Amino acid sequence: MTIAVTSASGQLGAAVVQALQAMDIEEQVIGLARTPSRAAGLGIEVRPGDYSDPEQLTKSLEGVDAVLLVSGNEQPDMRIQQHRNVLNAAKTAGVEKVVYTSVQGAEEGNGFSPVVQSNRQTEADVRASGMEWVIGRNGIYIEPDLESVDAYKSAGEVANCAGDAKCGYTTRPELAFAYARLLTESTNDGRTLALNGEPISQAELSAFLNTAFGTQLTFRSMSVEDYRTDRVNELGDFLGTVIAGIYEGIRQGANDTPSDYAKAAGRPHQNWDEYFASVAH
Ligand SMILES: NC(=O)c1ccc[n+]([C@@H]2O[C@H](COP(=O)([O-])OP(=O)(O)OC[C@H]3O[C@@H](n4cnc5c(N)ncnc54)[C@H](OP(=O)(O)O)[C@@H]3O)[C@@H](O)[C@H]2O)c1
């Protein structure tokens, strides 16, 4: 059997390849990448895989039995067609199973919702594809908050519009472990699974960062409007609106939902005490 991981040049794709390699499985693992040179260090065959190139995708998926479709990062409308290109190519090439990395979040009412909607459309396309399928709905990555510690430190605070609501964050390695299992086992075929850890509030996140990095951060709750203005000024219209929308969704409770992680991974999600101890310095 051959398993293909798309976006193998990206952080999640590469982590899934590594999780599959760590499983010591009989299946052959190959990568697809828009920029194959960026996946050269993985020690696997990497084939060209631009989501915008149907012919190239079909050729590269020849001989593949199961494929992981990692969600793209273009504008929502473009993404839907790109994902369809991968699904159509997989069907044409005779791939039997597709695993899709979708996302959690409010489906309407904020600046992130168009992205969530585009993922929901791909979910529908996956279910209608005629292939075996599994859909994971990823929680929000926690790593960007670690990468922001210096900025938080300069500001002396974490400030956003999530309020007191909790968010079921996750990490790329935890997601990768779950996706490696979903690709190699059939127990969860036909299921849509929420993949996240124990939900935490922004005040709890700040406390975890303080423990790990010796900072003295506090959480300041901002209004949705003030936070959106702040993000748009910093990041521009498109990205600022999306980021503010993510936190507005958290505030609305869209990211505080039950997790199916243990069902997908066969073990519980890493707890946040352990995670922050592992990144402390
Ligand atoms: N859950 C979350 O918090 C969260 C946060 C951010 C993003 N996401 C989603 O999760 C996905 C994976 O995350 P990540 O951490 O791996 O992101 P990443 O490290 O930024 O990697 C993005 C990957 O997408 C690939 N890509 C972009 N356009 C492509 C195309 N037209 N054809 C083929 N590949 C294309 C890139 O290829 P190149 O190397 O050629 O650029 C790269 O491999 C993202 O794309 C996004 O949809 C989720």
Side-chain angles (χ1 to χ4, degrees):
M1 248 191 84
T2 299
I3 296 172
V5 176
T6 62
S7 281
S9 58
Q11 296 168 86
L12 182 60
V16 174
V17 168
Q18 284 156 355
L20 286 164
Q21 288 168 329
M23 281 174 82
D24 193 24
I25 46 173
E26 283 182 4
E27 288 92 336
Q28 190 199 351
V29 180
I30 67 161
L32 260 64
R34 175 175 62 177
T35 319
S37 59
R38 286 197 195 141
L42 290 172
I44 54 168
E45 179 190 351
V46 181
R47 301 178 183 172
D50 187 331
Y51 294 168
S52 300
D53 189 337
E55 279 177 30
Q56 182 189 73
L57 289 164
T58 308
K59 193 159 182 288
S60 290
L61 286 169
E62 268 168 25
V64 168
D65 300 284
V67 64
L68 178 72
L69 169 54
V70 174
S71 177
N73 54 14
E74 302 282 359
Q75 303 266 355
D77 285 356
M78 215 172 144
R79 233 184 254 204
I80 291 172
Q81 186 54 49
Q82 288 185 328
H83 295 164
R84 282 182 181 153
N85 291 343
V86 179
L87 294 173
N88 291 337
K91 264 208 97 170
T92 308
V95 174
E96 283 169 14
K97 172 168 166 173
V98 58
V99 180
Y100 172 55
T101 75
S102 186
V103 75
Q104 297 177 28
E107 289 168 12
E108 43 196 48
N110 69 54
F112 184 51
S113 299
V115 173
V116 178
Q117 283 290 353
S118 74
N119 279 246
R120 296 290 174 269
Q121 180 57 57
T122 298
E123 290 183 9
D125 293 341
V126 165
R127 293 186 193 106
S129 70
M131 295 179 277
E132 285 291 353
W133 58 269
V134 189
I135 293 164
R137 288 184 176 169
N138 297 352
I140 294 177
Y141 301 155
I142 210 158
E143 287 94 336
D145 279 289
L146 273 63
E147 289 152 18
S148 301
V149 160
D150 285 343
Y152 291 153
K153 213 169 157 179
S154 305
E157 62 180 17
V158 174
N160 59 53
C161 66
D164 295 333
K166 296 198 176 209
C167 173
Y169 289 99
T170 186
T171 71
R172 292 186 186 92
E174 286 295 87
L175 288 173
F177 183 82
Y179 281 114
R181 294 258 313 209
L182 296 173
L183 282 160
T184 51
E185 293 181 2
S186 54
T187 335
N188 286 295
D189 286 2
R191 290 185 178 154
T192 301
L193 303 163
L195 303 179
N196 58 272
E198 181 69 24
I200 54 173
S201 67
Q202 298 298 302
E204 288 168 320
L205 173 63
S206 307
F208 276 123
L209 291 170
N210 289 339
T211 316
F213 298 102
T215 46
Q216 316 251 303
L217 306 171
T218 51
F219 171 60
R220 178 166 59 91
S221 183
M222 297 174 74
S223 72
V224 171
E225 208 178 297
D226 286 352
Y227 187 58
R228 190 184 303 121
T229 306
D230 175 80
R231 289 298 82 196
V232 167
N233 286 342
E234 176 93 14
L235 304 167
D237 252 346
F238 175 69
L239 194 56
T241 304
V242 168
I243 299 290
I246 290 175
Y247 285 94
E248 188 180 352
I250 296 174
R251 182 192 192 97
Q252 294 162 338
N255 294 78
D256 185 5
T257 50
S259 174
D260 301 307
Y261 187 88
K263 204 187 280 179
R267 62 152 172 80
H269 192 284
Q270 186 177 30
N271 73 54
W272 296 119
D273 283 316
E274 259 175 43
Y275 174 73
F276 280 97
S278 76
V279 297
H281 56 262

